[in-house]
């Protein structure tokens, strides 16, 4: 889905950084072998994630929803040399695929994969984080926020993906559509929670940046 007219979107992409070769390979293999490849962050949003991470220079990153590791590798580009990224996914079939690309990337030793539901794993993580990327199941976004806010360092950043939810956030609400309801609730929470300041960016399917005060 394009929120900008397609030609303008093409122009934006053409005047942004190129996708690294390893991520092009990862994308090709994801499309060949994995169900729902559309879940990949993709080249443009990937460069945005990389840029934000490089601006923050985080020592610790947490990602909810690894999928095939595309965004993990984009975020890892900004890590400090002794930094680490923890990434959680509930789908065990993706683990070997992710590890293959993590090891090829040069960030392999800094990336920790966690298998299971993020709801169970986040409370067991002992460290605090400079950057969190929320990109797992939408119905739990509010729960994820509540679990991570106390693990976020002051000045730390939460990036939340799919906050425009294909534009459904401004359509009449179907009461049975739990994902849209959850995204609406989440966006209102981010706007009103006094512990953070928030800007919603109309990038791809909507990417919110929230900074802990
Ligand atoms: C949109 S994809 C993530 C895309 C990835 N961040 C990227 O940019 O390439 C969502 C992922 O969340 C995972 N997921 C869904 N429910 C989850 C849960 N409760 N805990 C952890 N991961 C979950 C799915 O298995 C899927 O791989």
């Amino acid at each position: 889905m394009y929120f900008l007219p397609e030609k303008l979107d093409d122009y934006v992409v053409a005047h942004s950084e190129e996708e690294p070769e390893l991520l092009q390979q990862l994308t090709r293999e994801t499309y060949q072998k994995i169900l729902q490849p559309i879940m990949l962050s993709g080249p443009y949003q990937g460069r945005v994630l990389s840029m934000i991470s490089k601006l923050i220079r985080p020592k610790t990153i947490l990602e909810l929803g690894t999928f095939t590791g595309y965004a993990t590798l984009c975020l890892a580009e900004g890590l400090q040399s002794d930094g680490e990224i923890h990434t959680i996914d509930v789908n065990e079939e993706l683990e070997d695929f992710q590890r293959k690309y993590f090891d090829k990337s040069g960030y392999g030793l800094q990336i920790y994969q966690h298998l299971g539901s993020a709801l169970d794993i986040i409370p067991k993580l002992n460290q605090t984080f400079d950057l969190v990327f929320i990109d797992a199941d939408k119905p739990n976004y509010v729960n994820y926020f509540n679990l991570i806010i106390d693990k976020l360092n002051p000045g730390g950043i939460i990036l939340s993906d799919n906050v425009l939810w294909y534009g459904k956030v401004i359509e009449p609400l179907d009461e049975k559509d739990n994902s849209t309801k959850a995204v609406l609730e989440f966006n209102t929470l981010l706007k009103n929670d006094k512990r953070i300041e928030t800007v919603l960016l109309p990038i791809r399917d909507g990417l919110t940046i929230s900074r802990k005060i």
Side-chain angles (χ1 to χ4, degrees), residues 39-169:
M39 291 207 287
L40 283 168
S41 270
Y44 177 67
Q45 181 167 302
R47 290 307 85 207
V48 172
L49 294 174
S50 159
M51 179 65 84
I52 293 172
S53 186
K54 285 171 182 163
L55 290 169
I56 298 170
R57 298 294 292 158
K59 187 151 186 167
T60 47
I61 304 177
L62 172 64
E63 178 185 33
L64 312 182
T66 322
F67 192 47
T68 51
Y70 190 100
T72 322
L73 291 176
C74 296
L75 294 168
E77 291 174 31
L79 265 181
Q80 292 182 27
S81 54
D82 58 348
E84 51 189 53
I85 176 163
H86 293 259
T87 183
I88 306 174
D89 205 290
V90 75
N91 185 350
E92 65 181 302
E93 288 172 15
L94 299 170
E95 259 198 321
D96 293 347
F97 186 109
Q98 297 158 0
R99 180 45 61 191
K100 181 172 95 176
Y101 281 93
F102 293 164
D103 287 343
K104 278 186 180 182
S105 72
Y107 299 110
L109 295 175
Q110 293 172 274
I111 301 176
Y112 296 83
Q113 293 158 281
H114 299 266
L115 177 63
S117 170
L119 290 176
D120 300 328
I121 289 172
I122 299 167
K124 294 182 189 150
L125 297 173
N126 289 323
Q127 58 274 78
T128 57
F129 295 95
D130 299 317
L131 175 60
V132 177
F133 182 43
I134 303 181
D135 195 17
D137 50 321
K138 310 312 150 197
N140 276 314
Y141 266 33
V142 168
N143 295 328
Y144 294 145
F145 176 83
N146 289 329
L147 285 172
I148 61 175
I149 188 68
D150 291 333
K151 291 182 186 285
L152 190 65
N153 293 322
I157 299 292
I158 302 173
L159 299 173
S160 309
D161 198 15
N162 306 109
V163 292
L164 295 177
W165 202 229
Y166 309 102
K168 291 184 189 174
V169 289

